[in-house]
């Protein structure tokens, strides 16, 4: 049976998103950030919105819940704060799961 690697990510996006403010309010260090208008590396384009995200590393797994629970355990204690931030800054939240087959 082939094995897979899985990565989970929690992303916050919005036109008015300032990554430094989100980091300060959540007291969580992000894995990746950018602001609306930032250049996209290697392309002659700019970001249409801001982004703040945390993610797991790719890990050998057959169950995405293993990686997803790592992210949930980080953000769950911040639930009320996340709700307030979303309303105040008109932000969107999402989870991204990436699964790769290992050779």
């Amino acid at each position: 049976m082939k094995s897979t690697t899985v990565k989970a990510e929690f992303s916050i996006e919005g036109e008015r998103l300032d990554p430094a403010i989100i980091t300060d309010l959540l007291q969580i260090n992000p894995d990746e950030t950018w602001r609306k208008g930032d250049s996209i590396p290697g392309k002659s384009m700019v970001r249409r919105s801001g982004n703040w995200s945390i993610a797991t590393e790719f890990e050998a797994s057959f169950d995405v819940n293993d990686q997803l629970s790592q992210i949930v355990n980080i953000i769950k204690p911040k639930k009320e704060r996340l709700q307030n931030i979303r309303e105040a800054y008109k932000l969107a939240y999402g989870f991204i799961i990436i699964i790769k087959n290992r050779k």
Side-chain angles (χ1 to χ4, degrees):
M1 178 183 283
K2 286 186 178 180
S3 63
T4 60
T5 57
V6 177
K7 176 180 181 176
E9 181 177 326
F10 173 70
S11 180
I12 302 175
E13 246 186 75
E15 287 195 26
R16 297 177 16 197
L17 185 144
D18 180 337
I21 291 173
I22 302 302
T23 300
D24 186 52
L25 292 172
L26 293 179
Q27 294 296 295
I28 299 171
N29 289 322
D31 293 303
E32 187 173 34
T33 65
W34 61 77
R35 294 181 71 138
K36 179 180 179 177
D38 285 354
S39 296
I40 299 174
K43 298 183 179 186
S44 59
M45 300 171 66
V46 296
R47 304 283 185 179
R48 294 184 192 179
S49 63
N51 182 75
W52 182 101
S53 62
I54 56 173
T56 66
E57 298 294 327
F58 275 102
E59 300 170 344
S61 179
F62 287 108
D63 185 356
V64 299
N65 287 309
D66 294 340
Q67 287 68 38
L68 194 55
S69 66
Q70 291 177 47
I71 299 294
V72 169
N73 288 339
I74 293 169
I75 63 173
K76 190 173 184 177
K78 312 289 184 173
K79 179 181 176 181
E80 186 175 325
R81 194 167 290 175
L82 283 163
Q83 291 170 332
N84 294 337
I85 292 168
R86 183 182 59 216
E87 292 170 15
Y89 295 96
K90 308 290 189 247
L91 303 173
Y93 297 164
F95 287 93
I96 300 164
I97 305 293
I98 303 167
I99 303 170
K100 292 184 178 180
N101 287 325
R102 289 176 53 182
K103 295 179 182 182

